[in-house]
Amino acid sequence: MTYTTPHSLSGRRPRLLMLPFTLASRVFRPARPGRLTDGAIEAAQMMRTAIGVAATIWMVYAYPLQQSMSSFAQDKLAETLISTGVLIVVGPLALVVFVAAARAPGRAVYVRRLSGPLTGFGALFATVLLLFLLLQNSGGARLAPQLGPFRFVFLLVALAAVLFAVPFGLASAFLCVHYVFRTGDVHEVLPPLLSPLLVWVMFGFQLADGSPAVAPQAVQYLFLVGPPLSVTLLSAWELRRLRTQFGVTVRGALHRGRRPAPW
């Protein structure tokens, strides 16, 4: 007979709370067997993200905000959601163009690898649809009375689904942008090709919104232009490193060069 101790219960609670984030990481992190990984590229990406977060925190504390802290946080969340929306539109189009432009035998291989991005897209779409059906116009609350004696069971299940879907959706939106919708599962050249497109689209939104802080004009320009420029330079360096260190090029990935990309 197995006894559950209070210590084991307390250990399960953090794991249960982290379950949406753990599952989102598994769904949106590229996981193709044999996928080319490079520690220098991953370290550079993490360093850029850390520098960006540190710079944002510095600006918030160094200069007065033009809005409340809660509004600033909501704007940052909105930017992440907009980035996810852009990827939902641009990602599939880019994959279609990439697969269509590839010559045999690459095209058939890339079609089989679409399962990774499709998994991410399906999970994100299902999460948004679930939250929309349960929360839009109190859809879940209006449906419950129609279920008679089962309404309490439905409300408990609906509440659990919302409590899971909200953190899962937020984590998915962030990871979707970070991993460029798992396009690396199709080929390693796709994330550095799509990342600059995404950040320059976001540059247009930020240009229309203006700076969130009352800072000198030079600082505002730096925070406005710095992110898209840094991502573009990092993507160019990543493509160059893939070419020089691993012999992977865009032409090779499309099987249009002298050296096809390694599988």
Side-chain angles (χ1 to χ4, degrees), residues 21-230:
F21 305 100
T22 303
L23 184 59
S25 177
R26 291 181 180 179
V27 170
F28 287 92
R29 185 189 298 271
R32 170 172 57 87
R35 185 177 64 90
L36 179 64
T37 58
D38 181 59
I41 291 176
E42 293 178 353
Q45 292 173 342
M46 293 299 295
M47 185 179 299
R48 185 211 161 271
T49 301
I51 292 174
V53 171
T56 302
I57 294 174
W58 171 81
M59 183 181 68
V60 168
Y61 282 96
Y63 302 102
L65 293 175
Q66 300 191 51
Q67 53 190 343
S68 65
M69 183 62 74
S70 61
S71 298
F72 175 76
Q74 290 174 6
D75 286 347
K76 289 300 178 184
L77 176 60
E79 289 178 7
T80 302
L81 297 178
I82 291 172
S83 300
T84 305
V86 172
L87 275 178
I88 289 176
V89 176
V90 174
L93 291 177
L95 288 174
V96 168
V97 171
F98 182 82
V99 172
R103 292 176 176 173
R107 185 177 301 170
V109 174
Y110 298 150
V111 168
R112 291 196 297 270
R113 291 179 180 176
L114 290 174
S115 59
L118 288 176
T119 299
F121 180 83
L124 193 60
F125 178 78
T127 303
V128 173
L129 180 62
L130 175 66
L131 291 174
F132 177 81
L133 293 176
L134 291 177
L135 300 180
Q136 179 70 13
N137 295 325
S138 301
R142 288 189 293 105
L143 177 62
Q146 303 176 22
L147 300 178
F150 297 102
R151 62 183 181 276
F152 295 109
V153 176
F154 170 78
L155 288 174
L156 287 175
V157 173
L159 178 61
V162 170
L163 291 177
F164 177 86
V166 169
F168 177 82
L170 294 177
S172 298
F174 174 80
L175 293 172
C176 170
V177 175
H178 182 73
Y179 291 114
V180 200
F181 235 126
R182 286 187 68 169
T183 52
D185 271 351
V186 179
H187 200 279
E188 290 78 3
V189 301
L190 282 170
L193 288 176
L194 290 178
S195 295
L197 175 62
L198 174 64
V199 293
W200 283 110
V201 170
M202 293 307 302
F203 169 80
F205 285 102
Q206 293 168 351
L207 190 64
D209 288 341
S211 175
V214 184
Q217 202 167 38
V219 175
Q220 294 183 19
Y221 285 149
L222 177 63
F223 275 84
L224 182 64
V225 181
L229 279 181
S230 63

